[in-house]
Amino acid sequence: MYELLKAGGLIMIPILLCSVVALAIIIERFWTLRPQKVAPRSIVNDLMARLKKKELNGKTLKDLQQSTPLGRVLAAGLINAKHGREIMKESIEEEASHVVHELERFLTALGSVAAITPLLGLLGTVIGMIDVFAEIQIAGTGNTQALAGGISKALITTAVGLTIAIPALVCHRYFQRRVDELVVEMEQQALKLVEVVHGDRDVDMSGVKSK
């Protein structure tokens, strides 16, 4: 493995750094973007039960705010519920924009890694091919084995770059999709809360609409 990396030249250093960054982001996002961590249904059910029993107070809202991203969004709405439906919705939307920004953290960097590493690999290959043609000018084309070896070494960086870029791109698309799904779920739960608080929906233990 070391010989393979050594054959790729100095351009392998930024490519390997990109691989470390991509791996770290992928692991962190897999852990952070779990549905049960971002928008657990249990929070909504518990909140609806407390609304039914009129047990909401400052401590409950503070605990809700500190629990999960969905909890932050719902707490922002409840804190401003007394100012009317529109203010409550605006508070939810404002807090949700901050939450979405946090959910998308590092995804731009992961997308950049997916875009940059193939270019770095291509750059390494171009540099390697320049060295091969420089060798041809000096020694001619008589030693075909040496030329083939030089060309294969030149292609190493492209192969490594693509090997890193493809999983990074797949994970980037996957995480973007996961964020979109979580945002939709939070929007639905927040809308349900607004309807319950302002009397457009009855409260039950499951938060299901009942008329």
Side-chain angles (χ1 to χ4, degrees), residues 133-181:
F133 284 113
E135 184 67 23
I136 290 175
Q137 281 186 322
I138 296 172
T141 59
N143 191 347
T144 56
Q145 185 175 359
L147 291 177
I151 293 172
S152 66
K153 288 181 180 180
L155 294 173
I156 287 173
T157 52
T158 295
V160 174
L162 290 173
T163 301
I164 296 168
I166 292 171
L169 180 60
V170 170
C171 289
H172 179 264
R173 297 288 177 85
Y174 171 78
F175 290 136
Q176 285 283 12
R177 177 66 178 173
R178 173 70 66 82
V179 170
D180 291 342
E181 291 174 350

Side-chain angles (χ1 to χ4, degrees), residues 1-196:
M1 177 61 75
Y2 173 75
E3 292 299 324
L4 184 66
L5 298 178
K6 183 178 179 181
L10 292 177
I11 203 70
M12 291 295 291
I13 296 175
I15 292 177
L16 291 179
L17 288 176
C18 285
S19 71
V20 172
V21 171
L23 181 61
I25 293 174
I26 289 169
I27 293 173
E28 191 274 342
R29 289 291 90 183
F30 263 120
W31 178 258
T32 302
L33 296 179
R34 292 173 296 156
Q36 64 269 28
K37 181 178 176 66
V38 177
R41 292 293 183 92
S42 58
I43 283 187
V44 179
N45 294 337
D46 181 66
L47 183 59
M48 293 302 179
R50 289 179 181 275
L51 281 171
K52 184 176 182 179
K53 298 176 182 178
K54 302 185 185 300
E55 293 179 351
L56 285 181
N57 52 48
K59 183 179 183 306
T60 302
L61 291 178
K62 185 176 180 180
D63 291 341
L64 178 65
Q65 196 172 34
Q66 296 175 349
S67 59
T68 63
L70 175 59
R72 284 174 51 189
V73 173
L74 298 179
L78 288 170
I79 290 172
N80 294 279
K82 60 185 178 181
H83 300 298
R85 171 190 289 272
E86 293 304 317
I87 298 299
M88 183 179 181
K89 290 179 68 175
E90 288 177 7
S91 301
I92 287 173
E93 291 170 0
E94 182 179 351
E95 187 63 33
S97 66
H98 295 296
V99 169
V100 172
H101 179 71
E102 292 180 5
L103 294 179
E104 293 178 340
R105 184 185 300 172
F106 305 132
L107 293 188
T108 299
L110 184 60
S112 297
V113 168
I116 289 172
T117 46
L119 298 178
L120 289 173
L122 181 60
L123 176 61
T125 294
V126 170
I127 293 173
M129 293 302 294
I130 291 172
D131 292 339
V132 169
F133 284 113
E135 184 67 23
I136 290 175
Q137 281 186 322
I138 296 172
T141 59
N143 191 347
T144 56
Q145 185 175 359
L147 291 177
I151 293 172
S152 66
K153 288 181 180 180
L155 294 173
I156 287 173
T157 52
T158 295
V160 174
L162 290 173
T163 301
I164 296 168
I166 292 171
L169 180 60
V170 170
C171 289
H172 179 264
R173 297 288 177 85
Y174 171 78
F175 290 136
Q176 285 283 12
R177 177 66 178 173
R178 173 70 66 82
V179 170
D180 291 342
E181 291 174 350
L182 291 171
V183 170
V184 169
E185 176 67 19
M186 288 191 291
E187 287 177 349
Q188 292 175 344
Q189 299 302 333
L191 178 60
K192 183 188 299 183
L193 178 66
V194 173
E195 292 178 351
V196 167

